[in-house]
Amino acid sequence: MSEFQSKVDKEARQRASRALRDKFLEVLRQIENNEPPVLVIPKRTLANTVYDNTRKLLLLGVGQLRRSFLDLNEAKRFMQTTLMASIIYDALINDEYPTIRDLYYRGKHSIIIKDNKGKTHEENTWDEQKESDSVIIDIEVLTSLLREEMLILSKEKGKVVGEMRVRSGNDVIDLSKMGHGAYSIEPTPDLIEFLDVNAEFVLVVEKDAVFQQLHRAGFWKQYKCILVTSAGQPDRATRRFVRRLHEEIKLPVYILTDADPYGWYIYSVFRIGSISLSYESERLATPNAKFLGVSMSDIFGSASKKPYLSEAERQNFIIKAKDFDIKRANEIKNYPWFKTKNWEKEIQDFLNRKAKLEIEAMASKGLKFLAYQYIPDKINNRDYVE
Amino acid sequence: MSEFQSKVDKEARQRASRALRDKFLEVLRQIENNEPPVLVIPKRTLANTVYDNTRKLLLLGVGQLRRSFLDLNEAKRFMQTTLMASIIYDALINDEYPTIRDLYYRGKHSIIIKDNKGKTHEENTWDEQKESDSVIIDIEVLTSLLREEMLILSKEKGKVVGEMRVRSGNDVIDLSKMGHGAYSIEPTPDLIEFLDVNAEFVLVVEKDAVFQQLHRAGFWKQYKCILVTSAGQPDRATRRFVRRLHEEIKLPVYILTDADPYGWYIYSVFRIGSISLSYESERLATPNAKFLGVSMSDIFGSASKKPYLSEAERQNFIIKAKDFDIKRANEIKNYPWFKTKNWEKEIQDFLNRKAKLEIEAMASKGLKFLAYQYIPDKINNRDYVE
Amino acid sequence: MSTTKEKFSSLSPAEFFKRNAELVGFSNPTKALYQSVRELVENSLDATDIHLILPNIKLSINRIESEQEIYKITIEDNGIGIPQSVIPNAFARVLYSSKYVIRQSRGMYGLGVKAVVLYSQMYQERPIEVISSTIGSKRIYGFKLKIDINKNEPIIYGRYSIENSANWHGTIVTVYILGDWSKSKQRIYEYIKRTHVITPYADFTFLDPEGKITHLPRITNKMPKPPQEVKPHPYGVDIELIKQIIANMRKKGADVKWFLMNEFQGIGEKTAQELLNMSGINEKKKVERLTEEELSKLTEAMKNYAKFRSPSADALSSIGEELIEIGLRSSFNPEFAVAVTRNPEAYQGHPFIVEAGIAYGGNILPVEEPIVLRYANKIPLIYDEKADVVWKVVSELDWKRYGIDTFPAPLVVMTHICSTKIPYKSAGKESIADVEEIEKELKNGLMEAARRLKLYLSEKKKEESARRKALTYMKYIPEVSRSLAIFKAGKKEEARQYEQDITNKLKTLIAERLNMKDLQLLEEVKVEAV
Amino acid sequence: MSTTKEKFSSLSPAEFFKRNAELVGFSNPTKALYQSVRELVENSLDATDIHLILPNIKLSINRIESEQEIYKITIEDNGIGIPQSVIPNAFARVLYSSKYVIRQSRGMYGLGVKAVVLYSQMYQERPIEVISSTIGSKRIYGFKLKIDINKNEPIIYGRYSIENSANWHGTIVTVYILGDWSKSKQRIYEYIKRTHVITPYADFTFLDPEGKITHLPRITNKMPKPPQEVKPHPYGVDIELIKQIIANMRKKGADVKWFLMNEFQGIGEKTAQELLNMSGINEKKKVERLTEEELSKLTEAMKNYAKFRSPSADALSSIGEELIEIGLRSSFNPEFAVAVTRNPEAYQGHPFIVEAGIAYGGNILPVEEPIVLRYANKIPLIYDEKADVVWKVVSELDWKRYGIDTFPAPLVVMTHICSTKIPYKSAGKESIADVEEIEKELKNGLMEAARRLKLYLSEKKKEESARRKALTYMKYIPEVSRSLAIFKAGKKEEARQYEQDITNKLKTLIAERLNMKDLQLLEEVKVEAV
């Protein structure tokens, strides 16, 4: 049980449980004073999300919502919030590491009441995990504690290889000695210590299979890079890990995704954070991350650049944009951090052509092309969208 | 480019490309002799899948299908098969590591013809990846070459930690020194060499988050175990990795999943292989793997056993089985390797109660309960379903 | 080119309707049996309620031959009876009737019972038998009759009279007819049931050919006001009608002004003068001397004059909201029933009243489209529903606006149109034509009834909503109390002691928030912890 | 209890139909104008094609008053004309007609033009004007007429004659009527257009009140066989009809056997004897002496006798498949048209023929439900479509079984029913009642036509399928060749040289597989490589 007893762990638990308890004792005081119990929570709406141009971060604004138990529309959510807070609190003081799914299960039960007609009404505290997840976020912004600070684990799928060693727990791991495998990033990346980094940049690849190919081709060795994959939409640990590499080791970060609004969105999450979770940007975002590709000009060329694809390749690989792609592109167009000349051109190009491309299409021109021509060229020519 | 030049690699490429070419030169000979070109492929139907009771493996039977280009219903599939074969062949002789998605992209293009009325007809070689994936499987059974033998990579998500060291590529990796992270299993697990294994059993956990919790709790250290997660439906590399641990190190394998037909199916895939891919069982399956839980008797108890859940916990955690659960359970009931006394009881119990449970529900009783009571108890009491 | 000579010939009205019996509803044995029952029942009702007699009607149908399907229909009523002098013509002369006056009655064309007789004698030889005694008559008279079709005259096969010692009045009719009971059975029952819905003050007894007796008892003694005969309304006249009125005037040599003021509804001296001015006729002109052209001008003036009062409703007899509700409630046992009687309106000079009823819920089974009961001058219309203007109005109504959110719904709609002249689409009296004025009134009537339904439904919803509100708070209070108690105690194990106190405080807050009625509800709710 | 005395009175048929003009289609000025046009056009057609005269019909409608909407309708035909002696009764006596014989004609009730006159004189004072000359007549006669409504007699307002130097024959009718052109316009045009579809051998000229002239020229000189007058069929008789035939018999004192054999269709000696045996009547009995009961037995025997021949179709005049197709093609310009004329059948003793046509594709716009053109005795039916038995049959037909996989589809269905007696639902002649025998024939006729449509559509599909097959192979051959060439060469870069050879070999194999026709198709296909 050594892990449970570690000092860092103990301290984190005490800090978090105290903050939680203080918050809800306030609510209790309201009730004892015969005041309607109200939770004051920063609003997580788009309108209350502010882009800090200096820090290049997406942050929560000053807007607050008052969740009163006496408001019929809010009563259930109020109940859910107190319930979830008490469960997290209980896990903290009992040395547990719950996952968000555990929390969902721990809180889920039926409320059964009989009305005066003898009719039974049954309702669950929550039905789906997205309900309880949303309550967890409420508690994070309410208490200013990230879930990691409340010792809540989540599913992690980020992997890394490269010329560096890290310390995690009591171990030192050499990320250049992973064979054909890779190091799977842990859920609490702040506990990682970076040792002996010998790399010139970080390449984040959206797709795991492309990561495998580049790893197998020895790309990171040849170009002195830390190779990371988020395996799709990045989780929090991968984002924090990349952010720390940038912040602490000062490595430039390049992001390689599909050429479509979903790819841009993944880039955006690495760079800024997600709008619905802007309260965490301050710690998870990497504002200087660069979108390496695939860009519209890689596909179609531009005045100053030959396209990487031939006309015939384009015809075969390009996918017609769907309605939801167009919709998403139009949303993204309005994000302040996409309001740069290059990005506006990129998005407009997409909207005009209604064409998207998966990164695999580039890989299908041949692995050598991808690993030894396309990526190095792009980095050397500073041919990224910023 | 050292990897490309490795001898193992070269040999694999030669073996595979020669087999492929021989197969299709046969087809060519038919055409040159003015015979209708026909591909003879072992049938991948349920009817042609045989359970080998001695070896406890699911194997392809002797049934064959003759795919003739002159059969109008088969013409497209014939065309797709030759196309895909030529692409794989081309990748092999050009030192590529394509993924199945790459192959999809490489082969995808439009066929455009004009008829005598001047009307243009357009059709894609294939539209969705599941089409090209299915063709790849055809080629695997046609040539008796697994995709790994044809140097095709896939997305991998299996992770492992434990008291052992492995050699992969030129590296030696200590799986007991992964900190809070884990080792991500490579796509070609046959190239892994096991060194210094100090463990008594393998525990395979379906869910990544449960893996994280057990890892964090130091479970594998305390109980001398190799801890593996398949993070859901297991990929081929994870299955092969587990099989090799069992076969070569002689470790017993326990599998921990949700208590539902989907969980049983995951167990079944580890143990036997999937019906649609029975041709690969011989190398990927672990016929002696044991289903540790969660079992129906863990939830409800039995004549000789107290349940692990109280009545109130059951009420909250149990999920009503859906129609597709029932359907799947009835399918599974008919698989020969589920025709044991224990499994029949397990499935019948499920069908009677129409209740399922996620493993997280057990975890939500407390991590200590899961790691230090439930799992060890089950193993000590040999309380698994076989 | 053929030079066939055309043969011209003349038909008596009896011959015409015999040849074209389907025009009056006798297209085959099935419809003939149904239509015969209708005509007889309607005559019996006209002989009673118009004269404020509570109707007692006994109907029986027997099959009398095994080879051919000949049925004997007998109906007995307690009506005013028919004077013996007119019985032969009333039953055996086509286009002879007591219904050619301006007054609402079920019969209208003076064809009904004669069509029964025509059809009767087409396929069997027995004459119709009529027994009747008028009110106060000392004797009861009996007749056996057929129609001489060529001459359109009665043939009397027998007559007799007996003493009326019991002071009985009423009419008993027996008629023999080729029919098809098994095919018309359902419609005949439907007809009788629906007739009873609209005349809940009538007592029906029905013996069917299978020997089954159905008794629909009187539900109320209340009866609608009977209709009165009235003079024609000037808007509804045509040149030929004016000519006829002039021909039938008792006062000979009257001038045109007197004529206008005395032979029409609602024309006073001022109006008469204005009409004469409009048509350029001298008020002193003798009415018999009016030229064709003057008659045409006068008719035109009457059509164009905008200021007439609406036609008198004296000639009408609506059922009334109370009776309609009684009928709906007793027939359907609904959760809610409402009826609306609209004010009289007129089309083409004919006064009419629309009544609409709605029944909802209770024992009514939910259906995809409202069940529609159509009535006209107190008779139910069964056939040709979708061709009726009523269906048009019902199906175009936006029921969502009236609280019926989805169909199937347990909804019955009833409409009644009464008029001195119902614009039937055919003489079979099955469906009503699209007359704009009637359509509008139907719509208004239905909307008025539907608004009351809506009121009822929304009251019901409001009550439910208050109860739900209280329930919501009561559901969540235990959860909130339990969670906050943990924070208060600092650990779960010691939290229980604080729960009740937090619960009570929260209840007090809720009580302040909701009004007393809701609080009562609150107290009534039992929360069952799990 | 009220003791109101009931007033009984009698109506003339003229008065009856004046009061109830809506029963013959004159419910308001809009319908009156439309109905007047119909009645006049139908009389003109009956006066021509029944007598094998190619119809030339000129119709004009003018508004003659600015204040009231009074229209002057004039129609001129080149028919057989009307003898001067019968003109007054033919136009101004209700229930007087040349159509009371057993023969198919457009008019049936003998009411039509009289209803026009009745309505005409209700709202304006001008009499109807009739000019006519029969074939071969030396003079042309003119009349001005009204109806004495009380007496049901013509009133003659004027008469004259002039010399017929040009040997003209035909009839010109002018009538004045209160109408509403703007509301009836569309229906009147529809009526004329549809009439022309079924009488493509007629020439129509129409001048409308807006001054627009429409000329629908004769498309063919072929005319259908005209109908003949026939004796009644025994199945269709009733007691009263037998009585009438007896009364009208020229040979007096005949015995019943002679009577049966000479006054009905299809009764020979043997049949007559069997009928008499069935009804227990002595063959020598004088027919005038038959009792009521014997007449009833005789009627019953005629109803029950199973072995009569079908009624004679001589009285009918169908249009014929050729003329129907001509009509459909010229009106719709479809891709495919077919027509079916069924064999004569009978209902209730009336012979009838059903004809059905289907037009598909071409210029027909796809619609959600088939466009249905209904005809009866060569007149189009426009109103009340959904109440018609034709609609029932069309909508119940499973079109999928006949190659119409989905609606909207470009489909026109045409039906024609001709009979000595069309079972209209009302005297307004707008829709046909559900008569089982007619429904069955309609179904058979439509199915027969639909089967031919199916044949056409499936031929079309088969051709398309062969073409598709060839296309499939042609699409895949280049891919297969390119792929196999790579294996042959051992590497992609050197594969090209082998492609053409493999392609040629594959084409040969395909050519063997498919027949020559398909091979031709093969050659025609151009494959465009990408």
Side-chain angles (χ1 to χ4, degrees), chain C residues 225-242:
Chain C
K225 167 191 89 62
Q228 308 298 325
E229 189 185 334
V230 298
K231 292 176 193 162
H233 186 273
Y235 185 81
V237 303
D238 57 67
I239 297 174
E240 292 298 331
L241 181 59
I242 295 182

Side-chain angles (χ1 to χ4, degrees), chain C residues 2 7 9 11 18-19 51 68 95 97 121-122 125 146 149 229 239-240 292 296 421, chain D residues 2 7 9 11 18-19 51 68 95 97 121-122 125 146 229 238-240 292 296 300 421:
Chain C
S2 129
K7 279 173 266 173
S9 60
L11 288 191
K18 193 216 77 149
R19 282 181 179 225
H51 307 281
Q68 262 196 307
L95 303 185
S97 175
Q121 65 195 59
M122 280 169 77
E125 74 281 10
K146 282 195 188 179
I149 288 179
E229 189 185 334
I239 297 174
E240 292 298 331
E292 296 270 324
S296 176
K421 167 139 185 174
Chain D
S2 128
K7 279 174 267 173
S9 61
L11 288 190
K18 193 215 74 141
R19 282 181 179 225
H51 307 280
Q68 258 195 311
L95 304 185
S97 172
Q121 65 195 58
M122 279 169 78
E125 74 282 9
K146 281 197 187 178
E229 188 186 336
D238 57 65
I239 298 173
E240 293 299 332
E292 296 270 323
S296 174
E300 197 182 327
K421 167 140 187 173

Side-chain angles (χ1 to χ4, degrees), chain A residues 97 101 105 213 316 358, chain B residues 97 101 105 109 213 358:
Chain A
Y97 295 94
R101 189 140 187 92
Y105 273 109
Q213 287 185 298
N316 289 331
E358 292 190 57
Chain B
Y97 296 94
R101 189 145 187 91
Y105 273 111
H109 57 260
Q213 287 185 299
E358 291 190 56

Side-chain angles (χ1 to χ4, degrees), chain A residues 160-162 164-166 173-178 183 220 241:
Chain A
V160 56
V161 286
M164 73 186 283
R165 289 190 303 148
V166 297
I173 303 118
D174 187 339
L175 301 189
S176 69
K177 300 282 186 207
M178 287 288 131
Y183 184 64
W220 56 270
F241 184 80

